[in-house]
Amino acid sequence: MENKKTNPKKKQGKSLTKRITGWLHLWFGLVSGIIVLTVTLSGTVFVFCDEIVDLCAGTAKYIQAPAHAKKMSPEELLVQFHQQVPDRKAFYFDTYREADRTFRVASATKPPKDKNTEKAEKPKGKGRGPRGVFAYHYLDPYTGKVMGSTKSYEFFYVVAHIHAQLLAGKFGKTVVGVASIIFFIQLISGLILWWPKKWNKTTRTTAFKIKSGTKWRRKNYDFHNVFGFYSLLPAVFITITGLVMAYKILTDLTQAAFGGVADAHKIAEKYEPKYDPDKKALSFSDFIDRSFKEIPRANQVRMSVPRKDSATVYNVVAAKFIGLKSIVDGKSKEVNKYTGDEINYPKEVLMHEVIEHMNFDLHVGYWGGMFGKIFTFIIGIICTSLPVTGCLIWWGRRNKSGKKGNEIKNIHQHRKESHHEQLV
């Protein structure tokens, strides 16, 4: 008698959990891929906005300081600026402790005047209406001459709004919010799919290393899996901080959890001085001199230029470095324009600002200086690549399945033809 061969155990397939997770991971990724790619890429570009702005300024940042010369006052420099660039309106300026640094003015194009309406209509082909197009101008602090300008401010303003709302207002903000939630689910489902069924030497190598000497499809699969795992925790953290900014309910919960208050701006108004036309405001120079004395390490002071004379509060920032949205080793405060004193806001209002700035710094990588920026930039590049490598995996499997299907059809057709020949 012939010995019966025992059938080997059938290779167990994926569990139901992994099959469902894989299906969700695939289709969520395909649906949200282009939006996630746009959001992550724009956010990654924004990380180094300050360095790029300074690079675009070029030689306009510095001048040859004349000996024994005195800098013009900010008021005089702003008058010079508006005379030379009459189509723009300044909304803040930066002045520096160094004698050879130029005076920087942030401005926007003026909206067209319309006596019939309170708000100006958006001019065709001239920016975004009332806010206008942003730019930086650099003035010689001793003569008031404009030394150069750059619209890098406008570029990063657009990049930030692509990141937050795809330049589509409230609808775009909703789309980005939903895509961010999907991306969060993608990260968690990706971890489930990445997790090996059994841990051994082979699975550890596959899970943590990119195999060398493989074809591009396998290399792409390894990139998606391995880099996706290594970037998981920081990517989740960046996504959560982004969601906190995107959804008011999460913003309010975060504020409440850390001692802030949701309606801080409304509360703050009650503590601000009332406008008195008979009172004279202090000069900008008074605030600048006081700020440099209070913070000896500060190299830069930024002051807001109020839109109306009725404004009674100035925002003053003194720090070692002040960027578009970053403050390095310094302080931002609201001051009484009549006395120069800091507004005595309640603790929860001050905490609101601290939490808001901290969440933003954590989101864009400003938490750790240059290291934090580089780290966040690398994570951003990986997150931007995930929709691309994921789509290539799907496309490769789809084509592979199509080829296999054609091969099976050819085999069946060959068998039919052979069987027909035998009958004949």
Side-chain angles (χ1 to χ4, degrees):
M1 288 181 67
E2 294 181 0
N3 293 328
K4 291 183 178 180
K5 293 182 179 178
T6 57
N7 291 328
K9 289 182 179 180
K10 290 184 178 180
K11 193 176 181 181
Q12 292 183 355
K14 292 181 179 179
S15 66
L16 179 62
T17 301
K18 282 210 170 184
R19 288 203 301 272
I20 294 173
T21 303
W23 185 87
L24 290 172
H25 191 80
L26 169 63
W27 289 105
F28 275 3
L30 291 175
V31 169
S32 66
I34 189 67
I35 299 169
V36 169
L37 188 148
T38 303
V39 171
T40 53
L41 180 60
S42 56
T44 303
V45 170
F46 191 84
V47 170
F48 285 106
C49 61
D50 294 333
E51 288 76 11
I52 295 173
V53 166
D54 281 349
L55 184 65
C56 291
T59 57
K61 291 188 301 178
Y62 296 94
I63 49 95
Q64 187 69 38
H68 309 296
K70 186 180 179 181
K71 290 183 179 182
M72 297 173 69
S73 70
E75 286 86 353
E76 292 171 331
L77 289 166
L78 288 172
V79 169
Q80 289 290 323
F81 167 73
H82 287 121
Q83 286 178 352
Q84 295 175 71
V85 195
D87 62 328
R88 305 191 71 85
K89 176 70 176 176
F91 54 86
Y92 74 72
F93 64 83
D94 292 298
T95 186
Y96 300 84
R97 191 187 291 274
E98 296 95 334
D100 60 346
R101 283 298 301 265
T102 50
F103 182 84
R104 185 169 74 172
V105 178
S107 65
T109 49
K110 291 181 180 179
K113 294 181 179 179
D114 190 345
K115 296 179 180 178
N116 298 322
T117 58
E118 292 183 2
K119 292 184 179 181
E121 298 294 331
K122 181 177 178 180
K124 293 182 179 179
K126 293 185 180 180
R128 293 181 304 279
R131 287 194 71 100
V133 177
F134 295 160
Y136 275 132
H137 284 73
Y138 300 82
L139 280 68
D140 186 325
Y142 302 98
T143 65
K145 181 182 178 182
V146 174
M147 306 302 294
S149 65
T150 172
K151 288 185 179 178
S152 53
Y153 193 155
E154 173 69 12
F155 171 76
F156 283 108
Y157 179 87
V158 172
V159 167
H161 281 71
I162 290 173
H163 182 72
Q165 54 179 246
L166 303 175
L167 296 179
K170 291 182 179 179
F171 173 74
K173 188 175 181 180
T174 301
V175 171
V176 170
V178 172
S180 299
I181 293 171
I182 291 174
F183 184 64
F184 179 79
I185 296 171
Q186 289 287 87
L187 292 170
I188 304 304
S189 61
L191 176 63
I192 295 170
L193 294 173
W194 169 89
W195 199 273
K197 191 173 182 180
K198 290 182 180 180
W199 285 101
N200 53 44
K201 186 178 179 180
T202 303
T203 56
R204 280 195 297 270
T205 302
T206 305
F208 296 109
K209 294 181 180 179
I210 295 173
K211 192 176 181 180
S212 59
T214 56
K215 293 184 178 180
W216 76 267
R217 282 183 179 174
R218 178 52 193 266
K219 194 82 72 181
N220 178 72
Y221 178 84
D222 286 345
F223 273 123
H224 188 80
N225 264 16
V226 176
F227 284 143
F229 169 74
Y230 284 129
S231 65
L232 177 66
L233 285 178
V236 166
F237 197 73
I238 291 170
T239 305
I240 290 173
T241 52
L243 289 171
V244 167
M245 288 188 285
Y247 289 100
K248 188 177 184 301
I249 186 171
L250 294 178
T251 302
D252 294 347
L253 285 172
T254 303
Q255 290 288 347
F258 292 96
V261 62
D263 52 349
H265 298 293
K266 289 183 179 179
I267 296 173
E269 289 176 0
K270 299 176 183 178
Y271 293 84
E272 295 172 357
K274 293 182 180 180
Y275 175 64
D276 187 347
D278 296 327
K279 283 186 177 180
K280 186 179 179 181
L282 296 176
S283 69
F284 289 147
S285 297
D286 292 329
F287 292 100
I288 292 167
D289 293 340
R290 182 179 295 192
S291 297
F292 278 133
K293 287 178 182 177
E294 288 179 355
I295 307 178
R297 63 184 179 278
N299 294 323
Q300 180 181 355
V301 171
R302 173 174 296 174
M303 280 195 65
S304 60
V305 178
R307 294 183 182 180
K308 300 178 181 178
D309 292 336
S310 58
T312 59
V313 177
Y314 294 157
N315 174 251
V316 182
V317 186
K320 192 173 182 179
F321 174 82
I322 308 168
L324 280 177
K325 298 287 287 185
S326 62
I327 301 172
V328 178
D329 196 11
K331 182 182 179 182
S332 174
K333 60 183 179 180
E334 309 298 319
V335 295
N336 185 322
K337 78 171 185 178
Y338 301 118
T339 65
D341 297 331
E342 186 174 356
I343 306 298
N344 189 24
Y345 292 122
K347 184 180 178 181
E348 60 269 21
V349 172
L350 296 174
M351 199 62 195
H352 174 96
E353 296 300 316
V354 171
I355 294 166
E356 192 175 74
H357 284 293
M358 187 175 292
N359 187 75
F360 181 84
D361 289 349
L362 290 171
H363 185 69
V364 297
Y366 293 166
W367 49 268
M370 185 54 66
F371 170 78
K373 286 187 176 185
I374 294 172
F375 181 78
T376 304
F377 182 82
I378 293 170
I379 298 301
I381 291 293
I382 294 173
C383 289
T384 303
S385 73
L386 291 177
V388 178
T389 53
C391 186
L392 290 173
I393 290 170
W394 167 75
W395 186 258
R397 287 176 177 174
R398 184 172 176 270
N399 287 345
K400 191 176 180 181
S401 299
K403 288 179 181 180
K404 280 187 176 181
N406 290 332
E407 288 175 4
I408 292 169
K409 285 181 182 179
N410 291 335
I411 290 169
H412 284 309
Q413 184 65 29
H414 179 71
R415 286 177 179 175
K416 283 182 181 179
E417 290 174 357
S418 299
H419 181 66
H420 178 72
E421 289 174 359
Q422 288 175 6
L423 290 175
V424 173

